[in-house]
Amino acid sequence: MHDQPPIELGLLLYPGVQLATVHGLTDLFEIAGRFTGTAEDAERPRLRVSHWRLEEGDAAPRRVYDSLPATSGSPNVLILPPSLAEPITPAAAAPYRDWLRQQHGAGVRLASICAGAFLLAETGLLDGRTATTHWLHVERFAARFPRVSLDADQLLIDGEDLVTAGGLMAWTDLGLRLVDRYLGAKRMLDTARILVIDPPGRQQRYYSAFSPRLSHGDSAVLAVQEWLQETGAQDLGLDTLAQRAGLEPRTLLRRFRQATGMTTTAYGQQLRVGRARELLQTSRLPLERVAWEVGYSDPGAFRKVFTRVVGLSPGDYRRRFGGVAGGR
């Protein structure tokens, strides 16, 4: 019944790769390929799952696992999984760069997960494009690949030929997105139900913690950052902050943005929202009291800021992560 060639989804086993992701995606794709309950299912192409590795003495990676070994053809997608070690170095990435560029040039879609974005970015293919990676790697990635537009709030960015996914467990989102693309929404939802996982649609900012820049070397700005942290950013008045820094207000604003990449107001909001997230996860305080505790006398203003920063309302955040009913 399968007249169409199979869809091959390949996983690249580079040094330090997280094997849990490799095996998890292999299982997800093989589960997705088992649904044959309807005539429509029977007419869809089969999924072929392969693992690729650069063996000693080889000029390029080759298949070391193939779920359909008697089948010819090349991958439709090559996935670069996360690394449990530090993100791959330029030297370690060098043997893969040209091969990945050749695959992309031949029409193969490339996808990365978490720190796998470092290997993808080493090809130069992400230059001028928008990508995501794990929120812990944001500063390192931005410094190493300044030509890539980084949006780490997003858990998955689908640029058609290049797809990047954020956190370590974002392989579930990527896997389901690929099943949806090649086998349709029904097959994707069936696979998600079998695995008891959410369909794609999450955002990484639901989970990320604020990680301020502290290694910029500006002692005046650092003094303000430390004071804001100690006081929970209760007072964001520019005159107060300038006095703490020993600078004129305009000078502080310029130097603070240069050092942290943010305005003093945005920085304070991040600290306040971070504290609010803790309270929403661990307490049963009413939302109005949470707002007051983190420095907002107006609950409506608090909800607006929280929703803009996190992507969920305070009530939705509590229901999702705190397990406490009663928020709104």
Side-chain angles (χ1 to χ4, degrees):
M1 298 282 299
H2 294 283
D3 296 329
Q4 304 178 56
I7 300 296
E8 182 175 351
L9 305 173
L11 294 122
L12 182 60
L13 279 59
Y14 62 89
V17 74
Q18 185 195 36
L19 293 177
T21 293
V22 173
H23 297 311
L25 276 172
T26 300
D27 289 345
L28 186 152
F29 293 142
E30 291 189 351
I31 288 170
R34 291 177 188 171
F35 292 102
T36 56
T38 67
E40 183 182 3
D41 285 330
E43 292 298 325
R44 295 191 184 279
R46 293 175 295 169
L47 286 186
R48 178 186 187 185
V49 186
S50 58
H51 300 171
W52 296 70
R53 185 163 55 212
L54 183 62
E55 304 282 13
E56 188 175 353
D58 286 347
R62 59 183 174 88
R63 290 183 186 89
V64 293
Y65 167 78
D66 192 343
S67 65
L68 298 175
T71 309
S72 60
S74 54
N76 297 82
V77 181
L78 275 169
I79 300 169
L80 315 182
S83 169
L84 283 182
E86 290 293 300
I88 195 167
T89 64
Y96 302 94
R97 276 197 294 257
D98 289 345
W99 181 73
L100 287 170
R101 289 183 65 86
Q102 290 167 5
Q103 295 295 313
H104 180 261
V108 177
R109 178 176 283 114
L110 302 182
S112 68
I113 306 165
C114 191
F118 284 76
L119 178 52
L120 182 55
E122 281 290 338
T123 66
L125 294 169
L126 284 176
D127 289 358
R129 306 281 292 269
T130 301
T132 189
T133 187
H134 196 290
W135 58 269
L136 280 174
H137 297 317
V138 166
E139 283 198 43
R140 187 183 307 187
F141 188 96
R144 189 162 149 188
F145 305 107
R147 296 182 180 178
V148 181
S149 176
L150 193 60
D151 184 359
D153 283 346
Q154 302 303 316
L155 199 65
L156 191 146
I157 295 176
D158 189 344
E160 292 295 330
D161 59 320
L162 301 174
V163 184
T164 55
L168 279 167
M169 293 301 295
W171 63 265
T172 62
D173 300 80
L174 175 64
L176 292 176
R177 177 65 63 91
L178 293 173
V179 172
D180 186 7
R181 170 168 283 150
Y182 291 111
L183 301 181
K186 181 180 182 302
R187 187 80 68 92
M188 180 271 287
L189 291 171
D190 288 340
T191 303
R193 290 190 190 101
I194 291 292
L195 294 171
V196 197
I197 56 178
D198 290 336
R202 299 179 294 157
Q203 294 187 42
Q204 190 165 200
R205 59 179 171 164
Y206 300 168
Y207 309 91
S208 62
F210 178 45
S211 181
R213 297 181 190 173
L214 299 173
S215 58
H216 46 72
D218 190 323
S219 59
V221 171
L222 188 60
V224 173
Q225 290 177 272
E226 291 173 349
W227 184 77
L228 287 171
Q229 183 70 46
E230 291 168 3
T231 61
Q234 292 288 325
D235 186 350
L236 293 176
L238 184 55
D239 289 339
T240 303
L241 301 182
Q243 186 176 7
R244 285 280 166 182
L247 299 172
E248 292 294 322
R250 283 181 131 186
T251 304
L252 172 63
L253 286 177
R254 176 177 55 79
R255 284 172 54 174
F256 195 95
R257 182 186 283 276
Q258 184 177 16
T260 68
M262 308 175 73
T263 65
T264 54
T265 299
Y267 190 94
Q269 288 174 343
Q270 287 282 354
L271 292 176
R272 289 179 173 184
V273 167
R275 174 61 179 150
R277 288 165 72 150
E278 293 175 8
L279 292 173
L280 290 169
Q281 290 175 34
T282 60
S283 80
R284 293 180 177 271
L285 291 174
L287 295 188
E288 291 78 5
R289 177 67 182 276
V290 172
W292 179 265
E293 289 290 332
V294 301
Y296 290 94
S297 58
D298 179 358
F302 165 66
R303 289 191 188 92
K304 185 179 295 185
V305 170
F306 189 97
T307 303
R308 177 172 51 78
V309 171
V310 178
L312 294 171
S313 72
D316 288 340
Y317 185 87
R318 169 172 275 173
R319 282 186 284 273
R320 187 160 188 166
F321 297 104
V324 180
R328 64 181 185 274

